[in-house]
Amino acid sequence: MAAKRENGSILQFAPFQSSVDEGFWHRLSSLKLNKFRIDDSPIPITGFYAPCSHSQVSNHLTLVAESLPADEDEQSSVPAIASGNRNRCSVPGILYNTNTLEDFRALDKKSLLKQEAKKIWEDIQSGRAMEDSALLSRFLVISFADLKKWSFHYWFAFPALVLDPPATMVELKAASQWFTLDEAESVSKACNEWRSSNSTAGVPFFLVSIASDSRASIRHLKDWEACQGDGQKLLFGFYDPCHLPSNPGWPLRNLLALICSSWNLKSVDLFCYRESRGFADLGLSLVGKVLLHGLQFHRDHKDLPNAVGWELNKDRAVPRSITLAKSMDPTRLAISAADLNLKLMRWRALPSLDLDKLASTKCLLLGAGTLGCEVARRLMAWGVRKITLLDNGKVAMSNPLRQSLYTFDDCLNGGKYKALAAVTSLQRIFPAVEAEGVVMAIPMPGHPATSQEVDGVIDDCTRLHNLIDSHDAVFLLTDTRESRWLPSLLCANANKITITAALGFDSFLVMRHGPGPLPNASKADAANALSDEMESLALSNREQQRLGCYFCNDVVQPTDSTSNRTLDQQCTVTRPGLASNASSLAVELCVNMLHHPDGHLIEQLPFYRTFACVDSELALGILPHQIRGYLFDFSQMKLVGRSFDRCTACSLTVVKEYRERGLEFLLQAINHPTYLADLTGLTELTKSANSFDIDWDDDGDDDGFADI
């Protein structure tokens, strides 16, 4: 109830109320992760409110997604703030978003409120508020966004300058009772025109001038001098968000401060404009006379008045909080949570981390066993979303303990295909992953195809060729040596990022293959313009610089390694912790390569830089060629191996033969046990080595050297 004074009662105002759309918090979260990071500088925002439009409900000042400044990358997805929207009058605000909950609680709220009140006071003193009256409704928000829990703590303040002594309301009643019928009709018409114009709909403070003939017009505050005519009624109007019949809304407070500072008036008539169904409602709107007592501000009064304005939460001076986790789509929530740690890396540790590149990289995993399961999970942890697993095996009872994507149920009824079961498991772990399972055997040299199997082998070779062509990175994770031959050749032919991981009992190898000896087929056509001499020179230089592949250390061609083997030789018998180590290193090596400007061509750098310390080109660390680890003494070695000109998988001879003869060449390599060795010259090399006859002289010559 209003406090009584002589000739009226102390003017009391209905507090402003806030409302925050979920879209605001989603955009704030995105900007915090991707743009602001640890920067807690004040953020300019825009709030929206409109005149009250219901007799029982007040309008709130609302924050929506476009209240926050648009990021350059979001220009197309975030709508611009529309001017002239009669349903949303925009007012400027400031947001202080802290990095920790402790910082949020420690903010000096009194000082922050005073800072914003000072801005309003300076706008009044300088005349800016007369030109842009929305400045009178400046507001302030402090917040803390807990992005792990998707909870947000926040507190609004609507700074209001305090009149001393306070203004007095002499009379406040419905506008329809204050105006004559002719005046009411004219005022309604003028207000509707003001609200319908794009240039004035967003101007929340104005003058209502009524001539002696009852014709009303709406003018800007700066036109006050021009409205001083004989017989004119002049009212100060504002968009009133409050619905109460006995109290005007909060925006009136700073309008009165402007009036007191700008004109030496002892009393004013106020028009609290409210609407119904989008049009002026003079039965809901209020008009009243306010006494200012002539003791308030004047232009020469420079001291900042006191200010109030922190919003109450259920009649208590405490912040509000909201949790969005329960209302979010579970998949979307999983994506946000999965990306959180990666995006936090970019705040301090790794600003250059390219999450878009990782998310768009297509990875092909050949083998869905112990290594394949681990690699798939590590890739997802790095933000890789496109994963294809290839395997023709089924889940056996012995698999779930060592292969992390399978459970006991996958073993029942003969077992599910590993490639398909792994995809199902990945999607259960992270529904947003784009995983595909391919059930297929990899054709291998030393495993000849019968006449009935030839068509199937040809189909498998073609399918594998197409899979490798359509992916960006390929992981060779199969159990046998010979099953890596065809993928190594196809990757060398397509110049794909290729990572091999292989396990022994207590040792492992992780290596990245060098690029192939020839440009990609699409680029080879352009190279045909070179003379044969220049092309030969280019290929020779490339061969000398290349890093080797998995087969470059071999002096024999791959053969059948599974037949006539005991059980412990048929199974991959390794120490249980080995696969996790090798898989993690394989994924880290791949991610490093994706972030290097030269990608898998990094081997062209000088040799010593393979072991150099981190530099500007190696944001994630060095890029070794091979990593060999030993659990026996918990050691690792980084090795470099150059390409072998007689390699059965990546040499120039083999790749050119494949490009020229295609499937015919592959069938010959698969079916004939010595074909690859004969083609590359390994057979001749072996014969030459065996032809050496070394005799050791044991006669004890004085020189101590043997005659060879």
Side-chain angles (χ1 to χ4, degrees), residues 169-179 245-246 270-272 282-289:
M169 177 65 74
V170 175
E171 186 179 19
L172 184 68
K173 56 186 178 182
S176 58
Q177 300 175 15
W178 198 88
F179 296 118
S246 56
L270 298 175
F271 178 44
C272 307
L282 298 191
L284 189 58
S285 300
L286 303 176
V287 174
K289 180 179 290 293

Side-chain angles (χ1 to χ4, degrees), residues 58-137:
S58 296
N59 273 343
H60 297 183
L61 184 134
T62 304
L63 298 182
V64 293
E66 57 264 41
S67 294
L68 287 156
D71 192 26
E72 293 179 359
D73 297 335
E74 299 176 327
Q75 293 286 354
S76 58
S77 60
V78 179
I81 296 174
S83 60
N85 187 336
R86 63 175 295 121
N87 297 314
R88 296 199 313 185
C89 173
S90 60
V91 293
I94 198 79
L95 170 67
Y96 292 86
N97 186 59
T98 63
N99 287 315
T100 67
L101 184 59
E102 290 73 19
D103 288 345
F104 172 79
R105 291 169 175 165
L107 284 173
D108 187 344
K109 289 176 282 294
K110 182 177 180 180
S111 175
L112 291 176
L113 181 68
K114 187 174 181 178
Q115 289 178 28
E116 294 309 304
K118 183 179 179 181
K119 294 178 184 177
I120 296 173
W121 181 240
E122 289 174 347
D123 290 336
I124 292 174
Q125 294 290 301
S126 67
R128 287 193 298 270
M130 205 79 77
E131 297 290 333
D132 181 5
S133 61
L135 295 174
L136 294 173
S137 296

Side-chain angles (χ1 to χ4, degrees), residues 669-699:
I670 291 168
N671 288 328
H672 296 276
T674 65
Y675 173 69
L676 288 173
D678 296 341
L679 174 67
T680 57
L682 285 180
T683 301
E684 181 183 350
L685 180 64
T686 302
K687 290 179 180 179
S688 299
N690 292 335
S691 67
F692 283 103
D693 185 15
I694 303 176
D695 293 326
W696 297 97
D697 187 355
D698 295 328
D699 293 338

Side-chain angles (χ1 to χ4, degrees), residues 413-456:
N413 302 316
K416 298 177 182 178
Y417 282 108
K418 286 186 175 182
L420 304 181
V423 167
T424 301
S425 182
L426 290 176
Q427 291 171 340
R428 281 200 302 264
I429 294 168
F430 185 60
V433 68
E434 299 176 34
E436 180 184 358
V438 177
V439 179
M440 191 191 91
I442 298 175
M444 299 176 282
H447 297 256
T450 64
S451 57
Q452 294 83 5
E453 296 172 335
V454 168
D455 289 343

Side-chain angles (χ1 to χ4, degrees), residues 557-613:
Q557 78 168 52
T559 59
D560 183 1
S561 64
T562 59
S563 299
N564 194 27
R565 296 290 190 270
T566 61
L567 183 61
D568 65 320
Q569 292 173 325
Q570 296 176 30
C571 300
T572 305
V573 179
T574 66
R575 292 174 61 166
L578 206 62
S580 297
N581 291 345
S583 302
S584 298
L585 289 173
V587 172
E588 296 296 325
L589 192 56
C590 179
V591 172
N592 282 22
M593 293 175 69
L594 289 171
H595 279 79
H596 195 281
D598 293 333
H600 66 307
L601 300 177
I602 182 68
E603 73 281 359
Q604 295 183 16
L605 296 174
F607 174 82
Y608 69 88
R609 293 197 49 194
T610 305
F611 300 98
C613 295

Side-chain angles (χ1 to χ4, degrees), residues 224-238:
W224 184 82
E225 300 286 350
C227 295
Q228 302 304 304
D230 294 338
Q232 288 197 13
K233 294 180 181 178
L234 189 63
L235 298 88
F236 288 88
F238 70 101

Side-chain angles (χ1 to χ4, degrees), residues 620-639:
L620 281 166
I622 64 172
L623 276 166
H625 177 219
Q626 301 180 29
I627 306 170
R628 294 182 180 267
Y630 305 91
L631 282 187
F632 179 78
D633 57 359
F634 293 92
S635 64
Q636 286 184 184
M637 294 192 300
K638 294 186 289 291
L639 305 174

